[in-house]
Every structure is written in C-alpha cells, then in structure tokens.
Amino acid sequence: SLERRRCLYLRTGRACCQMVEVLLAALILVCGSVSCGSPGGYTGLPALGGSYYYQYGGAYSGFSGADGERAQQLDQRFYLLKLPIARAAMAVGGCLLVFPCVLILVGVLRVPWHFPAWLLIECTLYIVIAVGTVPALYCFLHSLLSVYNSSVCKEREQLYQSKGYQGFWCSLHGAEIAAGLLGCMAAMAYLLSAGLAVRDYRTVHEQKQKPLQL
C-alpha cells in the first residue's frame, strides 16, 4: 500500500511538471556543452601535405603555412573567450537538473504530507529560481554577444570567409538560441510548479483538518 501511494505521486500534476523541468535542464546542459565546442581548432596533418583538419569538417586544403597557424591560434583564443560562459551555462543547467530530481524524491517519500510547510518552501524556491532565470539569461546572451563582437571573432570570421568556408559567423548559433528559449520555458515551468505547490498545500491542509472536524 505504501509503495502504491509513492508511485501515485508520479502521476500528479506537480510531479509531471517536475519531470518536464528535468528534461529542460538536461537540454540546457547539452546546449551549453555544444556552445563550448572543442579547443582543438586546426591541426596540421603532415601526411596530407599542406592541408589542415578542422573539428567540424574533415580535411581541408584551403589553409597552409602561416594562415593555418593563424587559424589555429584564433580558434583557440575564441574557444577560451567562450569557455567561461559555456561552463557557467553548464553549471546552471546541472543545478537545475538536480533540483527537480530532489523534489521528485521528496514527493515520492511523501514528505509534503508529513510536513505540509515544505510545500510553501518549495513554492518560494520555485519563485526565486524563476525570477533569477531572467537576469541569468540576459547575462548569458549579453556575454555571448560580447564575444561575437570581439576583434578575435571578427578576424576569425574574415579569415575563414577568405578561404570560402561558411558557418563561422560572429552571431548566435542554434544551440545558444535554443538554450535561451529553454531557459524561458523552464522559468514558466517553475512558476507553474509554484502554483501547483500552493494548491497542494491547501489540499493537504484541508485533508489533515478533516479527522479533527469529524
């Protein structure tokens, strides 16, 4: 009977919302890792003569000598500029992933039933996280745009375009835009969870009062 009650929590609206939050946090974590990219840049391949290997595209013959070395330096500098932002996004995504997992465990263990005030604490935490998500997204996007507007990115873009390579523009790419949209969706999910926590608090409080009234 106890196991059945615990499993029933996973079918509640609050648990479903928390599982959505887990999914969104995992996607934010993935997008942050994609945004970071690889520090490798161009690597010379003596076996291919003067060609170079790029992490996304295979063996290219457009770069050789000083141009190849310069491309590698710009790739590495660009990577180092984006690294702190990507790490921060991954850290936030990791924290947002752990938080709903803990709340799901708390719900399965029926802690809110034995300690209804926990639902009010949960509601407060959700509101704080939802409100804090807005400036966090602003800082994330603003920092990325600062990197893309830097001289390193501009020179890197021009160097690749001079050789006819596409996809190295100084603008937000798909994973970074997706991270911003997922953050907005997560903020809305947190607000919904806060409302559900208040509703469940009222329900638990009323159910606990019924035996006393009878």
Side-chain angles (χ1 to χ4, degrees):
S1 178
L2 179 60
E3 292 297 328
R4 191 181 302 113
R5 292 196 205 101
R6 289 177 175 176
C7 291
L8 285 175
Y9 173 75
L10 299 178
R11 299 170 58 184
T12 63
R14 202 165 90 253
C16 291
C17 200
Q18 289 166 350
M19 286 186 278
V20 170
E21 293 163 10
V22 171
L23 176 61
L24 292 174
L27 292 175
I28 292 173
L29 189 60
V30 171
C31 289
S33 63
V34 170
S35 175
C36 183
S38 169
Y42 269 87
T43 304
L45 293 179
L48 295 178
S51 62
Y52 286 81
Y53 180 86
Y54 189 71
Q55 54 177 331
Y56 297 119
Y60 291 160
S61 59
F63 287 92
S64 62
D67 286 341
E69 294 178 0
R70 185 58 180 165
Q72 186 178 27
Q73 292 174 2
L74 290 173
D75 278 342
Q76 292 174 348
R77 290 174 62 187
F78 182 69
Y79 168 80
L80 292 176
L81 287 175
K82 291 184 67 177
L83 183 60
I85 306 171
R87 282 181 174 175
M90 293 171 64
V92 171
C95 293
L96 295 180
L97 180 63
V98 172
F99 179 65
C101 290
V102 172
L103 294 183
I104 290 174
L105 178 62
V106 168
V108 169
L109 296 177
R110 295 175 58 82
V111 172
W113 174 258
H114 300 290
F115 183 57
W118 168 259
L119 290 170
L120 297 180
I121 298 174
E122 184 177 316
C123 174
T124 303
L125 292 175
Y126 270 125
I127 293 175
V128 170
I129 294 175
V131 173
T133 301
V134 177
L137 286 175
Y138 172 79
C139 292
F140 173 70
L141 297 175
H142 179 73
S143 300
L144 283 175
L145 290 175
S146 298
V147 172
Y148 287 128
N149 290 327
S150 65
S151 59
V152 173
C153 184
K154 297 297 182 182
E155 184 179 354
R156 178 175 178 266
E157 180 184 30
Q158 292 174 0
L159 181 59
Y160 282 114
Q161 286 183 347
S162 67
K163 302 298 181 180
Y165 297 140
Q166 303 297 323
F168 302 98
W169 299 290
C170 293
S171 60
L172 297 173
H173 60 68
E176 293 159 351
I177 296 173
L181 294 176
L182 290 169
C184 294
M185 294 172 63
M188 292 187 288
Y190 299 145
L191 292 176
L192 178 59
S193 293
L196 292 175
V198 173
R199 184 202 64 180
D200 290 351
Y201 171 78
R202 293 175 179 174
T203 301
V204 171
H205 185 71
E206 290 174 359
Q207 290 180 353
K208 282 184 169 290
Q209 290 297 323
K210 286 181 180 180
L212 296 179
Q213 292 174 359
L214 292 175

